[in-house]
Amino acid sequence: MTVVDDRIAMADVNTERLDEWFERLERMPVPEGFRAEIVGGTVHMTPQRGTHWDIIFELAWHIRSRFGRRAKVLSDVRIDFPGHQNGFCPDVVKMRDGAKEDDTGRWRHQDVEFVAEVISQGTAANDYGPKKLAYAAAKVPLYLIADPYQGRCHIFTHPKDGDYTTETRVVFGEELDLTDTVLGLTLPTADFPRD
């Protein structure tokens, strides 16, 4: 069994524990405008800022425009990923055609085609580190990080052996050429705000 297989098996084992954590989070008085997710067994709560939301909206709008209203484009929805207690709520997710929620009402990481995370100062290390590795272990073909602090996007493709083999960087203001990816589109970044 490979390291990647171990991570995927661990995701199945940890589901009950993650369910317990998320049930507790739902009962907590989380301030409005905050989102919570679990990365490597640690709960992270971050405020949604205007800059953050503007980029999320731009990404989701362009993807939905390309694929239509029937496309499953999600934001801030729990999806359990490989690794130790990884209940992520990605900023933007595109599910493959025909993807459906399982018997528990959750989306499966095996059906994720695209993930985008918009960097927040407090959780940047997660997006560049353990979340990137978990997405690669889950064989998500396209992972995009939009970083308003750097004014740059990082595009990760070709997951292999638990990491991505290709990274492309594009400065805000330039177009993201994703025509040779599962999205098959070009994303403008001229309207992406900076922090």
Side-chain angles (χ1 to χ4, degrees), residues 54-104:
D54 285 344
I55 295 172
I56 291 170
F57 184 79
E58 283 289 319
L59 290 168
W61 185 84
H62 283 286
I63 295 166
R64 179 60 63 87
S65 294
R66 161 74 171 87
F67 291 97
R69 295 182 59 89
R70 292 186 194 181
K72 295 294 181 204
V73 180
L74 310 171
S75 179
D76 202 21
V77 173
R78 175 186 167 188
I79 301 172
D80 297 346
F81 282 90
H84 174 69
Q85 296 182 358
N86 284 328
F88 301 161
C89 301
D91 290 325
V92 180
V93 172
K94 164 132 180 2
M95 307 301 287
R96 70 171 177 79
D97 291 343
K100 295 184 186 311
E101 294 171 304
D102 65 17
D103 294 340
T104 65

Side-chain angles (χ1 to χ4, degrees), residues 70-160:
R70 292 186 194 181
K72 295 294 181 204
V73 180
L74 310 171
S75 179
D76 202 21
V77 173
R78 175 186 167 188
I79 301 172
D80 297 346
F81 282 90
H84 174 69
Q85 296 182 358
N86 284 328
F88 301 161
C89 301
D91 290 325
V92 180
V93 172
K94 164 132 180 2
M95 307 301 287
R96 70 171 177 79
D97 291 343
K100 295 184 186 311
E101 294 171 304
D102 65 17
D103 294 340
T104 65
R106 280 201 217 93
W107 297 97
R108 299 170 350 113
H109 69 78
Q110 295 90 335
D111 293 329
V112 174
E113 286 187 325
F114 167 75
V115 173
E117 297 285 6
V118 180
I119 295 298
S120 296
Q121 280 186 324
T123 59
N126 288 339
D127 295 332
Y128 284 110
K131 288 175 85 172
K132 178 179 150 251
L133 296 177
Y135 295 145
K139 296 183 171 67
V140 174
L142 178 59
Y143 175 41
L144 168 69
I145 294 176
D147 191 329
Y149 301 99
Q150 294 179 359
R152 180 181 306 149
C153 290
H154 301 260
I155 302 105
F156 299 95
T157 57
H158 304 99
K160 183 178 179 184

Side-chain angles (χ1 to χ4, degrees), residues 62-63 66-67 176-187:
H62 283 286
I63 295 166
R66 161 74 171 87
F67 291 97
L176 297 174
D177 182 3
L178 303 175
T179 54
D180 290 337
T181 70
V182 294
L183 291 184
L185 58 79
T186 300
L187 285 170

